[in-house]
Structure formats: C-alpha cells, structure tokens
Amino acid sequence: MALVFSFDRTYVNLVKLTEFFSTLSSVLEYRAAAVVEAVREKGHFTVNDSILSSRELLLLLLHNWSLVGKDLQLQEDLQALAQKNQNKELLKNTGDKNKPQALSHAYSHTQKKNEVEDDTAANVEVSELEKCREHLNSILAHWDHVFPAPASTQGEETLRPGEPGAEAVAVTCAPTRVVTKWLLRSLAGQSLLREQDVSPALRWLRNRVLPHLAATQEMLRDETPRNNLFKL
C-alpha cells in the first residue's frame, strides 16, 4: 500500500507544521502497526517495517523544522549537504543563503506582531515547538534509507575514494549522517529523557544505520553525534 502525502515545502507557521508532522507521524505509526499485525496473522517471523524511504521528503521535513525552530546548525548542515550532493530539491530550498534567515525573520515578525507580552504566550510557543520536535523524532524513526549494495564481496570492507561504488556510497551516507546528527542532538537536548522517545531512535540506529559500516563510520567521524549518543 503506497503512502502519498501533499507537502508544502515552505511551512513557516509553527502551528501548521506541527499539525502536518502530527498527521504524518500518526499515519506512519498506524501503518507500521498494521504491517506487524498482518505478519502475525500470516504466521511469519520477520517483519519488513520499512514504510518511509524517501530521502528528499525527510530532508525537506528537517529543512522546515530548521526554519520554525531557528536551528542555524541544521540549516548549515542541510545547505552543505545540498551543495555537496547537488540535491536539486534541497538546493531549491536552501540555495539562497539568506532564505532561511529571511523566512525565520518573517515568522518572528508575525509572531511578535500577535504576541501577548506575558509569560503565557512564551510558554505556549515553547510547548508547541516541543510537540513539533517530538513528532519529527517519531517520523525519522520510520525512515529506512536505501543503501547501495557493496561492490566488494567482503561486506565489512570500506571502499576508498576512487574505487568503484565509493562515490555512490558517499552520496548515500551523507544524508544519513545529517539526519542522525540532528536526531541525537534533539534527544540529548531534552531536559527529561523519556523511554518512549529514546527507544524508537535507538532501535532505528540499530536496525537502519549500524548494519551499514560506511554509514556508521560517516556518523561517528563527527564528535557531536558520538557525544550525544553517549548521553542517551
């Protein structure tokens, strides 16, 4: 069963983005549960719960979050990724270096215009951002990035630059590094870590990232994900 979503690439309204993330998260959770139940009824012992494999969609979701969350580090990572991999969809949204800041400024201006100058308004915004981030964490935990088959028969051998298939592996692993880096940073930055938030993320790492040596090495070469992983 195919899942089709209509996605506005320029969400800069926090409430609307949270609603979209909530809907998508709920659909993915329902779909995953339906797959597991169907497998159990058929008496199978293995489950292929991959229901979200679009790299472009995931990166655009992160891009939208970076705008409403004013996450400059994520904006920089996405822009560098778009330029490195020449990702047309991502370049379209991050190509203008001033666009993220401009959109964030527009959102901030609208927010200030309607903001009631009291602590309640500030708390509502923080709460909404937290809900939006939690929904995005849940969505990312359903992502199953498709990695190219290793050129070598030795699955644990790392391809060196210039070897056949090395470029394809590098292009594929780079988005995984960006997603993993943000996911671990998001979880480690929570004031209160909850098992229902951490467990899906760690399960995703174990099942979707760690089995791929190149992707694991790409992730761990950055000190920040390593440190955040230890915090969990």
Short mmCIF file of all heavy atoms in Angstrom, two decimals, residues 172-216:
data_model
loop_
_atom_site.label_atom_id
_atom_site.label_comp_id
_atom_site.label_asym_id
_atom_site.label_seq_id
_atom_site.Cartn_x
_atom_site.Cartn_y
_atom_site.Cartn_z
N THR A 172 25.11 8.52 -0.57
CA THR A 172 24.01 7.92 0.18
C THR A 172 24.18 8.09 1.68
O THR A 172 23.20 8.31 2.41
CB THR A 172 23.91 6.41 -0.15
OG1 THR A 172 23.79 6.24 -1.55
CG2 THR A 172 22.71 5.79 0.53
N CYS A 173 25.41 8.02 2.16
CA CYS A 173 25.66 8.08 3.59
C CYS A 173 25.55 9.50 4.15
O CYS A 173 25.22 9.68 5.33
CB CYS A 173 27.05 7.52 3.91
SG CYS A 173 27.19 5.74 3.66
N ALA A 174 25.83 10.49 3.33
CA ALA A 174 25.83 11.87 3.81
C ALA A 174 24.49 12.30 4.40
O ALA A 174 24.44 12.90 5.48
CB ALA A 174 26.27 12.82 2.70
N PRO A 175 23.34 12.03 3.72
CA PRO A 175 22.05 12.39 4.33
C PRO A 175 21.80 11.66 5.65
O PRO A 175 21.21 12.23 6.57
CB PRO A 175 21.03 11.98 3.27
CG PRO A 175 21.79 11.96 1.99
CD PRO A 175 23.16 11.50 2.36
N THR A 176 22.23 10.40 5.72
CA THR A 176 22.05 9.64 6.95
C THR A 176 22.80 10.29 8.10
O THR A 176 22.31 10.34 9.24
CB THR A 176 22.54 8.19 6.77
OG1 THR A 176 21.87 7.61 5.65
CG2 THR A 176 22.26 7.35 8.00
N ARG A 177 23.98 10.81 7.82
CA ARG A 177 24.77 11.49 8.85
C ARG A 177 24.05 12.73 9.35
O ARG A 177 23.98 12.98 10.56
CB ARG A 177 26.14 11.87 8.32
CG ARG A 177 27.03 12.56 9.35
CD ARG A 177 28.36 12.96 8.76
NE ARG A 177 28.20 14.00 7.76
CZ ARG A 177 28.09 15.30 8.04
NH1 ARG A 177 28.11 15.72 9.31
NH2 ARG A 177 27.96 16.18 7.09
N VAL A 178 23.47 13.52 8.43
CA VAL A 178 22.76 14.75 8.82
C VAL A 178 21.54 14.41 9.67
O VAL A 178 21.30 15.04 10.71
CB VAL A 178 22.35 15.55 7.57
CG1 VAL A 178 21.44 16.72 7.96
CG2 VAL A 178 23.57 16.07 6.83
N VAL A 179 20.77 13.42 9.24
CA VAL A 179 19.57 13.02 9.98
C VAL A 179 19.94 12.49 11.36
O VAL A 179 19.34 12.88 12.37
CB VAL A 179 18.77 11.96 9.19
CG1 VAL A 179 17.65 11.39 10.05
CG2 VAL A 179 18.22 12.54 7.91
N THR A 180 20.94 11.61 11.41
CA THR A 180 21.37 11.02 12.68
C THR A 180 21.91 12.08 13.62
O THR A 180 21.62 12.07 14.83
CB THR A 180 22.44 9.95 12.44
OG1 THR A 180 21.93 8.97 11.52
CG2 THR A 180 22.81 9.27 13.74
N LYS A 181 22.69 12.99 13.08
CA LYS A 181 23.28 14.06 13.90
C LYS A 181 22.19 14.89 14.56
O LYS A 181 22.25 15.18 15.76
CB LYS A 181 24.18 14.94 13.04
CG LYS A 181 24.83 16.09 13.79
CD LYS A 181 25.70 16.92 12.85
CE LYS A 181 26.35 18.09 13.58
NZ LYS A 181 27.20 18.90 12.66
N TRP A 182 21.16 15.27 13.77
CA TRP A 182 20.09 16.09 14.36
C TRP A 182 19.27 15.29 15.35
O TRP A 182 18.90 15.80 16.42
CB TRP A 182 19.17 16.64 13.27
CG TRP A 182 18.09 17.48 13.87
CD1 TRP A 182 18.17 18.81 14.19
CD2 TRP A 182 16.79 17.04 14.30
NE1 TRP A 182 16.99 19.23 14.78
CE2 TRP A 182 16.13 18.17 14.86
CE3 TRP A 182 16.13 15.82 14.26
CZ2 TRP A 182 14.85 18.09 15.38
CZ3 TRP A 182 14.85 15.75 14.79
CH2 TRP A 182 14.21 16.87 15.33
N LEU A 183 18.96 14.04 15.02
CA LEU A 183 18.12 13.22 15.89
C LEU A 183 18.76 13.03 17.25
O LEU A 183 18.12 13.19 18.30
CB LEU A 183 17.86 11.86 15.24
CG LEU A 183 16.97 10.88 16.02
CD1 LEU A 183 15.61 11.48 16.28
CD2 LEU A 183 16.84 9.57 15.25
N LEU A 184 20.06 12.72 17.27
CA LEU A 184 20.76 12.52 18.54
C LEU A 184 20.87 13.83 19.32
O LEU A 184 20.73 13.86 20.54
CB LEU A 184 22.15 11.93 18.28
CG LEU A 184 22.17 10.50 17.73
CD1 LEU A 184 23.60 10.08 17.42
CD2 LEU A 184 21.53 9.53 18.72
N ARG A 185 21.12 14.93 18.60
CA ARG A 185 21.20 16.23 19.26
C ARG A 185 19.85 16.63 19.85
O ARG A 185 19.78 17.19 20.94
CB ARG A 185 21.68 17.28 18.25
CG ARG A 185 21.72 18.71 18.82
CD ARG A 185 22.57 19.61 17.94
NE ARG A 185 22.05 19.73 16.59
CZ ARG A 185 21.19 20.66 16.22
NH1 ARG A 185 20.71 21.52 17.09
NH2 ARG A 185 20.79 20.73 14.95
N SER A 186 18.78 16.32 19.12
CA SER A 186 17.44 16.65 19.58
C SER A 186 17.11 15.90 20.86
O SER A 186 16.60 16.47 21.83
CB SER A 186 16.42 16.30 18.50
OG SER A 186 15.10 16.42 18.97
N LEU A 187 17.43 14.61 20.89
CA LEU A 187 17.12 13.80 22.07
C LEU A 187 18.01 14.18 23.25
O LEU A 187 17.53 14.31 24.39
CB LEU A 187 17.29 12.32 21.75
CG LEU A 187 16.27 11.72 20.78
CD1 LEU A 187 16.68 10.31 20.38
CD2 LEU A 187 14.88 11.70 21.41
N ALA A 188 19.29 14.38 23.00
CA ALA A 188 20.23 14.70 24.08
C ALA A 188 19.94 16.06 24.68
O ALA A 188 20.27 16.32 25.85
CB ALA A 188 21.67 14.66 23.57
N GLY A 189 19.30 16.94 23.92
CA GLY A 189 19.00 18.27 24.41
C GLY A 189 17.74 18.36 25.24
O GLY A 189 17.42 19.43 25.78
N GLN A 190 17.00 17.27 25.37
CA GLN A 190 15.78 17.28 26.15
C GLN A 190 16.10 17.35 27.65
O GLN A 190 17.03 16.70 28.13
CB GLN A 190 14.94 16.03 25.88
CG GLN A 190 14.37 15.96 24.48
CD GLN A 190 13.45 14.76 24.30
OE1 GLN A 190 12.77 14.35 25.22
NE2 GLN A 190 13.43 14.20 23.11
N SER A 191 15.31 18.13 28.36
CA SER A 191 15.52 18.25 29.80
C SER A 191 15.14 16.97 30.51
O SER A 191 15.70 16.63 31.56
CB SER A 191 14.70 19.43 30.36
OG SER A 191 13.32 19.27 30.05
N LEU A 192 14.17 16.25 29.94
CA LEU A 192 13.72 15.00 30.54
C LEU A 192 13.64 13.94 29.45
O LEU A 192 12.80 14.01 28.56
CB LEU A 192 12.35 15.16 31.21
CG LEU A 192 11.74 13.90 31.83
CD1 LEU A 192 12.64 13.40 32.97
CD2 LEU A 192 10.33 14.17 32.35
N LEU A 193 14.54 12.96 29.51
CA LEU A 193 14.55 11.89 28.52
C LEU A 193 13.49 10.85 28.88
O LEU A 193 13.47 10.33 29.99
CB LEU A 193 15.93 11.24 28.46
CG LEU A 193 17.03 12.02 27.75
CD1 LEU A 193 18.36 11.29 27.87
CD2 LEU A 193 16.68 12.24 26.30
N ARG A 194 12.62 10.55 27.91
CA ARG A 194 11.58 9.57 28.13
C ARG A 194 11.86 8.33 27.28
O ARG A 194 12.33 8.44 26.15
CB ARG A 194 10.21 10.14 27.78
CG ARG A 194 9.83 11.39 28.57
CD ARG A 194 8.48 11.91 28.14
NE ARG A 194 8.42 12.17 26.69
CZ ARG A 194 7.32 12.57 26.07
NH1 ARG A 194 6.19 12.72 26.74
NH2 ARG A 194 7.35 12.81 24.77
N GLU A 195 11.56 7.18 27.84
CA GLU A 195 11.84 5.93 27.15
C GLU A 195 11.11 5.85 25.82
O GLU A 195 11.65 5.34 24.83
CB GLU A 195 11.43 4.74 28.02
CG GLU A 195 11.77 3.40 27.39
CD GLU A 195 11.38 2.23 28.28
OE1 GLU A 195 10.93 2.49 29.42
OE2 GLU A 195 11.53 1.08 27.84
N GLN A 196 9.87 6.38 25.76
CA GLN A 196 9.10 6.30 24.51
C GLN A 196 9.70 7.17 23.41
O GLN A 196 9.38 6.99 22.24
CB GLN A 196 7.64 6.71 24.75
CG GLN A 196 7.43 8.13 25.24
CD GLN A 196 7.25 8.19 26.74
OE1 GLN A 196 7.91 7.45 27.47
NE2 GLN A 196 6.35 9.04 27.19
N ASP A 197 10.57 8.12 23.78
CA ASP A 197 11.26 8.92 22.78
C ASP A 197 12.58 8.31 22.38
O ASP A 197 12.96 8.30 21.20
CB ASP A 197 11.50 10.34 23.32
CG ASP A 197 10.21 11.08 23.58
OD1 ASP A 197 9.22 10.84 22.86
OD2 ASP A 197 10.18 11.91 24.51
N VAL A 198 13.32 7.80 23.36
CA VAL A 198 14.67 7.30 23.12
C VAL A 198 14.66 5.93 22.45
O VAL A 198 15.43 5.67 21.52
CB VAL A 198 15.47 7.24 24.43
CG1 VAL A 198 16.86 6.64 24.19
CG2 VAL A 198 15.60 8.64 25.04
N SER A 199 13.77 5.05 22.90
CA SER A 199 13.77 3.66 22.39
C SER A 199 13.60 3.57 20.87
O SER A 199 14.36 2.85 20.21
CB SER A 199 12.69 2.85 23.10
OG SER A 199 12.99 2.69 24.46
N PRO A 200 12.62 4.27 20.27
CA PRO A 200 12.48 4.19 18.80
C PRO A 200 13.72 4.70 18.07
O PRO A 200 14.09 4.14 17.03
CB PRO A 200 11.26 5.08 18.51
CG PRO A 200 10.49 5.11 19.78
CD PRO A 200 11.52 5.08 20.86
N ALA A 201 14.34 5.74 18.60
CA ALA A 201 15.53 6.29 17.96
C ALA A 201 16.70 5.31 18.00
O ALA A 201 17.40 5.10 17.01
CB ALA A 201 15.93 7.61 18.61
N LEU A 202 16.90 4.71 19.16
CA LEU A 202 17.99 3.74 19.29
C LEU A 202 17.72 2.48 18.47
O LEU A 202 18.64 1.89 17.88
CB LEU A 202 18.19 3.37 20.76
CG LEU A 202 18.68 4.50 21.67
CD1 LEU A 202 18.87 3.99 23.10
CD2 LEU A 202 19.98 5.10 21.15
N ARG A 203 16.44 2.08 18.41
CA ARG A 203 16.08 0.93 17.59
C ARG A 203 16.34 1.23 16.10
O ARG A 203 16.80 0.37 15.36
CB ARG A 203 14.62 0.57 17.82
CG ARG A 203 14.17 -0.70 17.09
CD ARG A 203 12.85 -1.20 17.61
NE ARG A 203 11.80 -0.20 17.51
CZ ARG A 203 11.24 0.39 18.57
NH1 ARG A 203 11.64 0.09 19.80
NH2 ARG A 203 10.27 1.28 18.40
N TRP A 204 16.02 2.47 15.69
CA TRP A 204 16.27 2.88 14.31
C TRP A 204 17.76 2.84 14.01
O TRP A 204 18.18 2.35 12.95
CB TRP A 204 15.72 4.29 14.09
CG TRP A 204 16.05 4.85 12.74
CD1 TRP A 204 15.44 4.55 11.55
CD2 TRP A 204 17.05 5.82 12.43
NE1 TRP A 204 16.02 5.26 10.53
CE2 TRP A 204 17.00 6.05 11.04
CE3 TRP A 204 17.99 6.51 13.20
CZ2 TRP A 204 17.87 6.94 10.40
CZ3 TRP A 204 18.85 7.41 12.58
CH2 TRP A 204 18.78 7.61 11.19
N LEU A 205 18.59 3.34 14.93
CA LEU A 205 20.04 3.31 14.74
C LEU A 205 20.55 1.87 14.60
O LEU A 205 21.35 1.55 13.72
CB LEU A 205 20.74 3.99 15.92
CG LEU A 205 20.82 5.51 15.91
CD1 LEU A 205 21.37 6.00 17.24
CD2 LEU A 205 21.68 6.00 14.76
N ARG A 206 20.05 1.01 15.47
CA ARG A 206 20.50 -0.38 15.48
C ARG A 206 20.09 -1.11 14.21
O ARG A 206 20.90 -1.87 13.65
CB ARG A 206 19.90 -1.09 16.70
CG ARG A 206 20.33 -2.55 16.85
CD ARG A 206 19.52 -3.22 17.92
NE ARG A 206 18.10 -3.29 17.56
CZ ARG A 206 17.12 -3.46 18.43
NH1 ARG A 206 17.38 -3.54 19.73
NH2 ARG A 206 15.86 -3.52 18.01
N ASN A 207 18.87 -0.88 13.73
CA ASN A 207 18.36 -1.64 12.58
C ASN A 207 18.67 -1.01 11.23
O ASN A 207 18.79 -1.73 10.23
CB ASN A 207 16.84 -1.81 12.71
CG ASN A 207 16.45 -2.64 13.92
OD1 ASN A 207 17.25 -3.43 14.43
ND2 ASN A 207 15.24 -2.44 14.41
N ARG A 208 18.76 0.31 11.17
CA ARG A 208 18.84 1.00 9.88
C ARG A 208 20.19 1.62 9.57
O ARG A 208 20.51 1.86 8.41
CB ARG A 208 17.78 2.10 9.80
CG ARG A 208 16.37 1.63 10.08
CD ARG A 208 15.95 0.54 9.13
NE ARG A 208 14.54 0.17 9.34
CZ ARG A 208 13.99 -0.92 8.84
NH1 ARG A 208 14.72 -1.75 8.11
NH2 ARG A 208 12.72 -1.18 9.07
N VAL A 209 20.97 1.91 10.60
CA VAL A 209 22.25 2.60 10.36
C VAL A 209 23.45 1.71 10.67
O VAL A 209 24.34 1.52 9.83
CB VAL A 209 22.33 3.90 11.20
CG1 VAL A 209 23.68 4.60 10.97
CG2 VAL A 209 21.19 4.84 10.83
N LEU A 210 23.49 1.15 11.86
CA LEU A 210 24.66 0.39 12.29
C LEU A 210 24.99 -0.82 11.41
O LEU A 210 26.17 -1.17 11.27
CB LEU A 210 24.48 -0.07 13.75
CG LEU A 210 24.41 1.06 14.79
CD1 LEU A 210 24.30 0.48 16.19
CD2 LEU A 210 25.61 1.99 14.67
N PRO A 211 24.00 -1.48 10.77
CA PRO A 211 24.37 -2.59 9.88
C PRO A 211 25.18 -2.16 8.67
O PRO A 211 25.78 -3.01 8.00
CB PRO A 211 23.00 -3.16 9.44
CG PRO A 211 22.07 -2.77 10.53
CD PRO A 211 22.54 -1.42 10.97
N HIS A 212 25.21 -0.87 8.37
CA HIS A 212 25.96 -0.37 7.22
C HIS A 212 27.24 0.30 7.71
O HIS A 212 27.21 1.38 8.31
CB HIS A 212 25.10 0.62 6.43
CG HIS A 212 23.78 0.04 5.99
ND1 HIS A 212 23.65 -0.79 4.89
CD2 HIS A 212 22.54 0.16 6.53
CE1 HIS A 212 22.39 -1.15 4.76
NE2 HIS A 212 21.70 -0.59 5.74
N LEU A 213 28.36 -0.35 7.47
CA LEU A 213 29.63 0.11 8.00
C LEU A 213 29.97 1.52 7.55
O LEU A 213 30.39 2.36 8.35
CB LEU A 213 30.76 -0.85 7.58
CG LEU A 213 32.16 -0.49 8.07
CD1 LEU A 213 32.21 -0.46 9.59
CD2 LEU A 213 33.19 -1.47 7.51
N ALA A 214 29.78 1.81 6.27
CA ALA A 214 30.13 3.13 5.75
C ALA A 214 29.30 4.22 6.40
O ALA A 214 29.81 5.29 6.75
CB ALA A 214 29.94 3.16 4.23
N ALA A 215 28.01 3.96 6.59
CA ALA A 215 27.13 4.95 7.22
C ALA A 215 27.52 5.16 8.68
O ALA A 215 27.50 6.29 9.19
CB ALA A 215 25.68 4.50 7.12
N THR A 216 27.88 4.07 9.36
CA THR A 216 28.28 4.17 10.76
C THR A 216 29.56 4.98 10.90
O THR A 216 29.68 5.85 11.78
CB THR A 216 28.48 2.78 11.36
OG1 THR A 216 27.27 2.02 11.22
CG2 THR A 216 28.86 2.86 12.82
#
